[in-house]
Amino acid sequence: MNEATPSPLSTAQIRNTVAEIVSQQPVSDLHTHLYPPTFGTPVANRSHPIDPQGLMLWGIDELVTYHYLIAEVFRVVPASKLPYEAFWKMSKPEQADHIWKHLFVERTPISEACRGVITTLTKLGLDPRVKNLASVRKWFAEQDPNEYIDRVMELAGVDSITMTNPVFDDNERERWLKGITPDRRFPAVLRIDSFLRDWPTAGAKLAAWGYQTRPEVTNQTVEEARRFLRDWIERMKPLYLSLSLPPEFRYPNTLTPRDQAGTEIMARVVMPICREYDLPFAMMIGSRLRVNPQLRDAGCLLYT
């Protein structure tokens, strides 16, 4: 007996069906600045030793002192009332208390950055209406970082969190050299900003690390720079290579010796290695680093 032909869906049913399917589809986050506990955590918790220079920044104080919120609080409490240097001398909890008071307690948290904090607390079952953060800090201190990550990923519908791994950051580089246990939840990305932004400085660092590179782009420099990238690709197993570039970036560019060096490194080192390993290369063009240096990372701009 033939099965009856199903009735066609109405427009409303199609809309609801598509929305349900999309809402259940796990998301792979391809660009974050997040790390697993294997990179160390400076926040008190019940299962991992505190690592003051750890890279897994989590907990309410790190959430509230996200750099967008630091920039926002200085629009409310300007540097004329609280100087930049006074803010940076505060401990992380003191900075968080300052931001919480002025952006969440005394004002309605309507910005996207503020709403993200409210959503996070609500999803975790915490009360975002508290006047101070003591109870929230206590809750985070009782968490296991690994279990916390799994819970957040489940709540967010995320199946992987792609890191951004700047190989020229000494803190992170030393951790990779000592050996990082892979975490399937956190694939790596090899970030090489100074390769194109400032090859003379990058080349000098490679030379200090034992690679036979020079500020000028010689044939030997090209081979050694390729060897450097091969070493780190083999070590990190990255999903792709990445860097951020200023809005005036052009390729090719021969206006200055530094621009010429960046163009040659792109053509003779980065692109051939990406082809060799079949890796994508992501360029975020339009970033201006530390427009206001006194704001540190909160003073960066992204032109779109």
Side-chain angles (χ1 to χ4, degrees):
M1 179 180 297
N2 294 332
E3 295 184 2
T5 302
S7 301
L9 297 177
S10 67
T11 299
Q13 289 173 319
I14 292 173
R15 183 181 297 112
N16 293 336
T17 300
V18 170
E20 181 179 356
I21 292 172
V22 171
S23 68
Q24 295 175 357
Q25 178 62 40
V27 173
S28 298
D29 194 331
L30 292 177
H31 175 72
T32 77
H33 294 272
L34 304 175
Y35 295 83
T38 49
F39 285 82
T41 171
V43 180
N45 61 87
R46 66 178 173 85
S47 62
H48 288 69
I50 293 178
D51 180 346
Q53 299 301 315
L55 296 174
M56 182 191 168
L57 306 182
W58 69 295
I60 188 60
D61 293 328
E62 295 293 349
L63 193 64
V64 174
T65 57
Y66 183 57
H67 60 269
Y68 285 3
L69 292 173
I70 291 176
E72 185 173 341
V73 81
F74 271 101
R75 293 194 289 271
V76 173
V77 185
S80 59
K81 294 183 178 179
L82 177 68
Y84 296 115
E85 58 270 21
F87 177 82
W88 294 117
K89 286 180 180 178
M90 291 178 175
S91 67
K92 186 60 66 75
E94 289 172 338
Q95 292 175 0
D97 288 339
H98 173 73
I99 293 171
W100 187 258
K101 173 186 176 182
H102 291 286
L103 298 186
F104 294 85
V105 176
E106 296 183 352
R107 289 167 179 79
T108 302
I110 60 175
S111 71
E112 183 178 1
C114 285
R115 295 202 311 271
V117 175
I118 298 300
T119 299
T120 300
L121 294 177
T122 302
K123 291 289 186 180
L124 290 171
L126 302 171
D127 186 358
R129 297 167 297 179
V130 295
K131 300 300 182 182
N132 67 72
L133 298 173
S135 61
V136 184
R137 289 191 181 105
K138 181 176 183 296
W139 184 88
F140 273 99
E142 295 169 350
Q143 306 307 305
D144 173 272
N146 271 310
E147 294 174 2
Y148 174 77
I149 290 169
D150 287 339
R151 183 177 180 187
V152 169
M153 292 178 72
E154 181 180 1
L155 289 171
V158 173
D159 61 8
S160 67
I161 301 170
T162 305
M163 299 182 286
T164 299
N165 306 100
V167 71
F168 289 96
D169 177 83
D170 290 335
N171 181 12
E172 177 161 345
R173 178 176 175 276
E174 290 302 318
R175 292 172 188 272
W176 281 102
L177 292 175
K178 290 176 182 177
I180 290 291
T181 302
D183 188 319
R184 60 173 181 77
R185 301 168 298 182
F186 288 83
V189 166
L190 176 54
R191 183 159 180 163
I192 54 170
D193 286 46
S194 57
F195 254 55
L196 301 191
R197 295 182 80 118
D198 185 6
W199 170 255
T201 297
K205 281 201 169 186
L206 265 62
W209 295 335
Y211 297 87
Q212 303 303 308
T213 53
R214 299 176 60 84
E216 61 271 16
V217 184
T218 64
N219 289 337
Q220 177 176 287
T221 290
V222 167
E223 290 305 317
E224 287 293 278
R226 289 180 179 181
R227 181 165 72 90
F228 171 82
L229 289 184
R230 290 189 185 102
D231 288 346
W232 281 92
I233 289 170
E234 295 294 337
R235 181 175 286 115
M236 286 185 178
K237 304 293 189 295
L239 291 185
Y240 59 91
L241 273 64
S242 76
L243 51 74
S244 60
L245 295 162
E248 66 271 13
F249 171 78
R250 299 292 183 272
Y251 179 86
N253 188 347
T254 58
L255 289 178
T256 69
R258 184 168 307 206
D259 293 331
Q260 174 67 38
T263 291
E264 289 195 63
I265 291 296
M266 167 82 94
R268 301 178 63 188
V269 177
V270 176
M271 300 313 295
I273 290 296
C274 286
R275 284 194 296 268
E276 180 178 329
Y277 284 88
D278 195 23
L279 287 174
F281 179 46
M283 294 184 292
M284 185 170 70
I285 301 173
S287 64
R288 181 78 70 199
L289 304 180
R290 300 198 174 191
V291 174
N292 181 349
Q294 296 182 93
L295 275 174
R296 302 185 184 179
D297 288 346
C300 300
L301 289 179
L302 177 61
Y303 295 85
T304 56

